[in-house]
Amino acid sequence: MKRLKVGGLMTDDVVSVLPGTSFREVAKLLAEHDISGLPVVDPDDRVVGVVSESDLLARRALTAREVMSAPAVTVHAGEAAADAARLMVRRGVERLPVVDEEERLVGIVTRRDLLRVFLRPDHEIGRRVREDVLGGAMDLPPDAVHVHVLDGVVTLTGRVLPRSRATALLRLAERVEGVVAVVDRLAARDGARPGAPSPARPAAFLNDRRTAQTGCAMPSPVPSRSLVSSLVGDAVTAPSMHNAQPWRFVLREASGVLELHGDPSRAMPRQDPDHRALHIGCGAALFGLRVAAAHRGLCPVVRPLPSPDDPWHLADVRFDGSGEADEELDALHPALARRHTSRFPFSEERVPAELFDGLSAAALLEGCRLTVPGDWHADTVMGLVHASALYEAADEAVRAEIAAWTRRGTAGESADGVPAYAFGPRQYDVTAPVRDFGAPGGAAGRPSERFERTPQIALLGTADDTPEAWLRAGQAMHRVLLRATLDGLAASLMSQPLEWPELRFDARDPLSAVGYVHMVFRLGYGPAGRPTPRRPVSEVLVLA
C-alpha cells in the first residue's frame, strides 16, 4: 500500500537562520511570519538546531547558537506522515525540519500539516481500504467484507478465515492514511459471530500522551551501548544465504540512529550478482532487530534505503517511536533462539491449512504475499529445484562459491558459513529438496536417507523486484519462519532455482498477483536443525 509521505505535506518555503543570527532578529522573524519556531542551519543548509518561542522566553542570549535546542529533531521527506506524527508526539514538538539525503533543510512540517491526513473524506478512506487492503494486499473478493467509514472510524463486518488473516486485515486497515480507528466485527473460522464489536483500535493519534508505563520504554532518543549490543545480538540470529551473515551495524551515538549496512565482502558475485539475497538476509536481521526492540518495550522507527548514493546503506533505525510496543512482535521473541534450518527429511504428515493461513497473514503484515502452490505449480517448482542442482554441478564458479561458505569443523574456522553438522543426511536419490552442502567431497559418516515424496512448500513474493522489495521480503521471510517455529514446524529454505535468472521466472504462478518470487519455503514435521555459528556482536557493530 502507498503511504502518504512527509514530502507531500511539508512547506518548502522555510524561514531559517544561521547560528550567528542575533536574538533580536530571531524574535523579529517569529513575529513577522507568525510562527512558533524555526530551524538553525549551518552555511551548507544542514540543520544544527531549532529555536522556538519557548527557547526565547526561557533565556536571554546574544545569538541563535546560544538559545537553540540541539541536536535538532528532524525528519526526511520520504518518511511516512504517520511516523512523523508519532515522532512529534514522542519528542513533544510542534514542527519538524524536513531534510534531504544529505541532511540539508528542504522544508518544514507542522502538526497542522499532519492533521490534514485525518481530514481525508470518509468515502476516500473507504475506497482506499477496499482497493488497497481488501483487493490489493488481501486479495479478497469485493463482497467478503463490508467497509463502513464514519468520521475516519472504519468498521469492518464479514467473515475472514482464519482469525490470523482477520488480524492482518485489521492491522493493514489501520495503516491507511486518514484512518482514526478500526472497529472489528469480523467473524473467525471457529464460528464466532460478529455480535458486539470489539473496542476500536486507534490509529496514529497526534494527541497521544500516554506515559512510558503504557507506551514505549525508551526514555531517551539515544540508546545505551549495552542496549544496542543486546538488540544486535538478537538481530544476528537471522538466516542468510549460506549463513554468510552479510550485515554490519553502525551506531551513531550523537543521534541514537542505528544504521544497517550490507557487507560487500560477504557478497556472492556468481550466485547473487544483483545482491538480492544479500538484501533479503539483511532484511531478516532488520526484522530480528524489530522483534528484539519490541521485547524490550521499544518502538523502532525504520527508514529503508536512506542514502541513494550509498547502495550498501540499507536502513536507519531510531528507537524513539511513540505508542505501545508491538505485542505481536514481542510474542515472536522466544523463537529467535529456537529457529534453525533443518536439512533433514520431514514426515509425510500434512501441515494444517490453518497454519498455512497464519503464515500467509504474517507475510501480509510485512507487505508481501505467501502462497501455497497447487499440485501442478508445486511440481513445477520442485522440478526447478532439481534442475538448479544440475546447473550447480555444471558451474565450477558456483561450486567454488558454495565451498567457500562450507565449514568442515577444522580448527580456526570462522563463525559463519554452513558447518558440517548442519549438512543433514546424504540424499538417497536425486529428488531431495535440500541443497547438499556435503557434495562432492562430503563429510565422513553422513548417512543416506530418503526425503519426503511430496515436500510441502510455500512461495514468498512481492509485486516489485527492487532493493526495497527485497528488504521487505527478508523481513517477511523471518516473520514467517519465527511464526512457523512457534507453530511447531520445521523449515528449510530453497533458494536454488531463484539464483538462476532462467529458472526464477518460471517459479511464479502466472495467475497470481505475486510478480516476483524471493524465497521458497519447505515446511513440515521433522527434526529441528542445530544452531549454526554467529559472529560476535563486537565484529558486526561499529560505534561512531
Side-chain angles (χ1 to χ4, degrees):
M1 295 186 302
K2 294 183 179 179
R3 305 186 71 188
L4 190 60
K5 304 296 185 182
V6 169
L9 295 172
M10 72 180 189
T11 299
D12 55 15
D13 184 14
V14 188
V15 180
S16 63
V17 297
L18 294 170
T21 303
S22 70
F23 181 100
R24 184 180 181 86
E25 181 64 20
V26 173
K28 180 180 177 182
L29 288 171
L30 292 179
E32 285 181 350
H33 294 274
D34 192 24
I35 54 179
S36 61
L38 49 75
V40 182
V41 299
D42 67 14
D44 294 322
D45 274 344
R46 290 183 171 83
V47 180
V48 296
V50 172
V51 176
S52 68
E53 292 174 329
S54 300
D55 293 326
L56 295 180
L57 294 173
R59 57 188 182 275
R60 296 290 186 267
L62 295 178
T63 65
R65 178 185 292 107
E66 298 170 74
V67 76
M68 70 183 185
S69 298
V73 182
T74 61
V75 66
H76 287 79
E79 292 193 44
D83 291 337
R86 297 186 184 101
L87 180 59
M88 279 187 177
V89 171
R90 183 66 178 175
R91 302 301 296 275
V93 297
E94 300 291 331
R95 58 183 58 224
L96 291 170
V98 183
V99 296
D100 64 12
E101 308 304 335
E102 296 182 0
E103 305 300 324
R104 294 176 301 197
L105 181 67
V106 295
I108 199 154
V109 64
T110 67
R111 289 197 176 205
R112 182 175 299 177
D113 295 328
L114 294 174
L115 280 170
R116 287 160 47 196
V117 174
F118 296 97
L119 298 180
R120 173 176 280 186
D122 288 343
H123 68 86
E124 175 64 15
I125 295 174
R127 186 173 71 86
R128 292 266 63 88
V129 172
R130 294 183 191 94
E131 293 181 2
D132 294 351
V133 179
L134 299 181
M138 302 293 297
D139 198 21
L140 291 170
D143 58 349
V145 175
H146 176 69
V147 179
H148 178 262
V149 185
L150 179 62
D151 294 333
V153 177
V154 177
T155 301
L156 301 175
T157 306
R159 184 177 296 276
V160 177
L161 315 176
R163 187 64 208 178
S164 57
R165 189 168 173 81
T167 299
L169 169 57
L170 295 170
R171 292 286 299 277
L172 293 173
E174 291 169 3
R175 299 177 185 178
V176 173
E177 304 296 350
V179 171
V180 173
V182 177
V183 177
D184 175 13
R185 286 182 174 171
L186 299 172
R189 173 170 286 175
D190 59 9
R193 298 184 178 181
S198 62
R201 289 183 48 148
F205 284 111
L206 295 182
N207 61 349
D208 185 349
R209 297 286 186 182
R210 285 171 290 189
T211 65
Q213 283 72 32
T214 59
C216 291
M218 192 68 205
S220 164
V222 180
S224 66
R225 292 183 179 183
S226 60
L227 173 61
V228 171
S229 294
S230 67
L231 294 173
V232 171
D234 278 347
V236 300
T237 61
S240 59
M241 185 173 176
H242 304 346
N243 193 29
Q245 305 169 43
W247 41 68
R248 185 170 63 90
F249 295 87
V250 178
L251 175 62
R252 302 293 178 186
E253 293 190 278
S255 63
V257 172
L258 182 62
E259 299 176 356
L260 170 62
H261 294 257
D263 187 343
S265 69
R266 294 177 171 272
M268 300 177 194
R270 187 67 184 91
Q271 294 175 280
D272 187 33
D274 297 327
H275 309 305
R276 183 178 59 85
L278 183 147
H279 281 73
I280 290 173
C282 288
L286 178 59
F287 184 77
L289 184 74
R290 290 168 51 203
V291 170
H295 181 64
R296 291 162 178 80
L298 305 177
C299 293
V301 178
V302 178
R303 181 170 167 239
L305 305 176
S307 304
D309 294 334
D310 182 2
W312 298 105
H313 188 177
L314 303 185
D316 283 346
V317 184
R318 297 196 312 265
F319 299 98
D320 57 356
S322 65
E324 296 182 1
D326 192 323
E327 294 181 356
E328 294 178 21
L329 290 183
D330 182 21
L332 297 174
H333 186 265
L336 285 176
R338 291 168 46 194
R339 181 217 61 80
H340 307 298
T341 298
S342 176
R343 298 183 181 88
F344 291 86
F346 296 167
S347 73
E348 299 292 344
E349 180 182 354
R350 308 312 289 173
V351 176
E354 291 79 6
L355 293 189
F356 273 121
D357 285 340
L359 300 180
S360 297
L364 281 172
L365 290 174
E366 300 304 322
C368 299
R369 293 280 188 89
L370 185 76
T371 59
V372 179
D375 291 343
W376 71 268
H377 190 196
D379 289 344
T380 298
V381 173
M382 292 310 303
L384 297 174
V385 171
H386 300 143
S388 66
L390 299 178
Y391 279 45
E392 281 184 12
D395 193 313
E396 184 176 350
V398 169
R399 296 200 310 273
E401 206 164 68
I402 294 174
W405 293 102
T406 300
R407 305 290 176 254
R408 303 289 178 174
T410 57
E413 287 185 330
S414 57
D416 54 17
V418 181
Y421 63 74
F423 290 173
R426 292 181 182 277
Q427 56 183 4
Y428 187 84
D429 50 30
V430 296
T431 63
V434 297
R435 176 181 263 134
D436 188 356
F437 283 90
R446 286 176 68 209
S448 296
E449 294 186 27
R450 291 187 183 276
F451 283 73
E452 62 270 27
R453 294 190 303 274
T454 54
Q456 299 176 81
I457 62 175
L459 278 60
L460 179 73
T462 60
D464 303 316
D465 197 30
T466 63
E468 186 170 1
W470 302 340
L471 284 175
R472 287 202 316 272
Q475 293 176 82
M477 176 187 75
H478 203 184
R479 187 166 197 147
V480 168
L481 288 171
L482 296 179
R483 182 70 263 163
T485 299
L486 294 181
D487 288 341
L489 298 176
S492 63
L493 301 173
M494 299 190 296
S495 64
Q496 303 96 298
L498 309 180
E499 297 157 17
W500 302 91
E502 55 269 49
L503 299 180
R504 184 187 176 206
F505 181 79
D506 291 338
R508 65 181 293 272
D509 181 350
L511 302 179
S512 168
V514 175
Y516 299 91
V517 177
H518 300 297
M519 187 56 65
V520 180
F521 296 85
R522 167 179 167 252
L523 299 158
Y525 298 97
R530 289 176 57 187
T532 50
R534 290 297 187 273
R535 293 185 290 159
V537 170
S538 59
E539 194 174 312
V540 300
L541 174 61
V542 176
L543 304 176

